[in-house]
Amino acid sequence: LVLLDEPCASLSASASTEILIHIKKTVTRAGSSALIVEQKVPELLEIADKALVIADGTQVYFGDADKIPVEFI
């Protein structure tokens, strides 16, 4: 399991997407999983299988990343 905290902090949207795609390829190739904490939700959803959204300390969504409600993006 790879744990990443804000790997895209201070990066542009295009650089963030590039880094996240690289992370996904690397983790998949290794047969592992990644837990990524990130505020750049749209970029992260491009590579995520599942999403967990926490607001004010409360879980408000957990499920498939491609089905996340638009209000959380």
Side-chain angles (χ1 to χ4, degrees), residues 4-66:
L4 299 161
D5 183 18
E6 301 272 352
C8 299
S10 301
L11 297 178
S12 67
S14 61
S16 296
T17 298
E18 200 173 310
I19 290 294
L20 290 169
I21 289 170
H22 178 72
I23 291 167
K24 171 92 175 195
K25 287 179 182 176
T26 302
V27 168
T28 300
R29 197 174 316 126
S32 190
S33 297
L35 174 68
I36 303 173
V37 176
E38 183 60 68
Q39 292 186 32
K40 295 182 177 179
V41 175
E43 290 87 349
L44 186 58
L45 289 178
E46 291 183 33
I47 63 129
D49 297 316
K50 298 285 184 185
L52 169 65
V53 179
I54 298 172
D56 297 321
T58 301
Q59 176 183 320
V60 293
Y61 177 81
F62 176 74
D64 293 333
D66 61 351

